Amino acid sequence: MNDLFRDEVLALHQYLESWLKGEAPKGDGTPQRLAEALVEDFVVIHPNGRRGTKADAVRAFAAAYGEKPEAYALDISRVETRMIGEGVCLATYEERHRGEPGRARIATAVLRRRSTGKGVEWLFLQETAAPHLDKKDTDLR
C-alpha cells in the first residue's frame, strides 16, 4: 500500500510542475488536481512558518499558472512512507526547484486513503527550508 502514497506524492508534484509551467489544462483557472487532492480542513505550514489552508493553496497556485519557464522543474526525491494508522500514511520527501536555488525543502505530509477506496487525499503538509540540499541544476532529474 505504501506505493500508493509514494505514487501520489510524485503525481501531485508532477501536476503542479506542469501547472506552473502552463502545460496543464487551465480550465476555469482552478488547479483541479490540487483542489481534489486536499481535504477541506487541509493545513500547510510553509518553510517560513506561516500556516495556510486548502483555499490558500488553491488560490496561490491558481494565480501562479504558467509563471515558470520551460526549464523549471520540481525535483522530488527520497520519498519515504510509513503507515501510521489504517489507511493513513506519513510521507517525507525532498523537494528541489530547478532554476531557483535556495528553495529546497524537506516536506512531511499526512495522507489518507479515500473512504471510497480509490485514491489518496492530503490532510497536512509541513515544509522545512533546506537550502543545503540545492545542487547544480544539471544534477537534477
Side-chain angles (χ1 to χ4, degrees):
M1 182 183 292
N2 287 19
D3 285 347
L4 173 72
F5 297 102
R6 181 183 185 284
D7 292 349
E8 169 60 14
V9 168
L10 296 172
L12 182 60
H13 284 86
Q14 195 169 49
Y15 169 80
L16 294 174
E17 176 185 312
S18 69
W19 178 267
L20 292 169
K21 291 166 63 172
E23 297 171 351
K26 189 172 183 182
D28 67 0
T30 301
Q32 289 298 326
R33 172 70 172 82
L34 176 65
E36 292 168 5
L38 307 181
V39 297
E40 287 308 312
D41 61 350
F42 171 80
V43 172
V44 57
I45 300 175
H46 298 282
N48 64 6
R50 188 177 56 80
R51 292 173 60 97
T53 65
K54 173 182 180 171
D56 297 329
V58 170
R59 186 172 31 256
F61 275 95
Y65 182 82
E67 76 173 16
K68 301 295 183 187
E70 185 178 325
Y72 173 81
L74 277 175
D75 179 54
I76 305 303
S77 61
R78 300 187 67 175
V79 180
E80 298 175 13
T81 58
R82 277 187 285 167
M83 299 306 296
I84 58 173
E86 184 65 34
V88 179
C89 176
L90 180 72
T92 58
Y93 55 93
E94 294 177 1
E95 177 180 321
R96 294 173 183 85
H97 298 247
R98 182 187 298 163
E100 298 180 355
R103 293 204 52 214
R105 57 199 67 188
I106 297 172
T108 302
V110 179
L111 305 124
R112 176 175 63 203
R113 186 178 189 117
R114 292 188 184 277
S115 59
T116 61
K118 296 184 181 191
V120 172
E121 52 195 6
W122 293 65
L123 308 175
F124 177 83
L125 175 63
Q126 166 106 36
E127 299 178 316
T128 302
H132 67 280
L133 294 178
D134 280 327
K135 298 179 181 180
K136 292 181 182 178
D137 285 347
T138 56
D139 290 343
L140 298 179
R141 287 220 175 154

